[in-house]
Amino acid sequence: MRHFIIIMLVATLFAGCGRESRRSEIEQRREALRHHQDSSLQAAQQELAVVDSTLEAVKAEYDGLKAEVEEHRRQLCATEEELTRLTLLGLRRDSLKMQWELLGAKISYIRQQQAEN
């Protein structure tokens, strides 16, 4: 009988320790998730700032070149190099625009996840 009580006491102690360590483990994982979300958000915001400034510069360059190329087209003296450069700038602008939108969506998603947690 005495051995049974000792065994039950030891089993109870181990069971209690298991619950506490799981709670601790869950809290550690929550903290790691918060840290990961914060660092991901900060990285995305920094990348968005770079993409935004690059996009604005490419847009300005594209708009300026487009006006010039349109004038040359009207005069029928547009060169292949001008047209190719304009096309490549348009592709670069569109690529940056997609990147900008994707980063904005990523930031919104991270903020939504943070609000839910």
Side-chain angles (χ1 to χ4, degrees), residues 54-64 89 93 96-97:
T54 305
L55 177 59
E56 291 303 316
V58 169
K59 277 183 182 179
E61 186 179 356
Y62 177 82
D63 291 342
L89 269 175
R93 178 201 60 199
L96 287 167
K97 192 181 226 181

Side-chain angles (χ1 to χ4, degrees), residues 2-92:
R2 216 171 191 194
H3 291 309
F4 178 73
I5 294 172
I6 293 173
I7 291 172
M8 291 304 292
L9 183 61
V10 170
T12 304
L13 289 173
F14 281 135
C17 291
R19 278 188 237 144
E20 189 60 39
S21 68
R22 286 188 182 187
R23 286 183 189 145
S24 175
E25 184 179 318
I26 290 169
E27 189 54 42
Q28 287 175 351
R29 287 183 182 186
R30 283 186 182 148
E31 184 60 34
L33 176 62
R34 279 191 289 271
H35 176 71
H36 178 69
Q37 287 174 336
D38 290 343
S39 61
S40 295
L41 179 62
Q42 185 179 18
Q45 288 172 332
Q46 289 174 349
E47 187 176 355
L48 181 62
V50 171
V51 169
D52 186 53
S53 63
T54 305
L55 177 59
E56 291 303 316
V58 169
K59 277 183 182 179
E61 186 179 356
Y62 177 82
D63 291 342
L65 185 60
K66 184 177 180 184
E68 183 181 322
V69 169
E70 289 299 322
E71 181 62 32
H72 288 167
R73 280 184 184 169
R74 276 198 302 277
Q75 296 173 2
L76 301 176
C77 65
T79 66
E80 184 178 338
E81 290 82 19
E82 283 179 324
L83 297 172
T84 301
R85 185 162 179 247
L86 182 65
T87 302
L88 292 176
L89 269 175
L91 290 172
R92 176 77 174 135

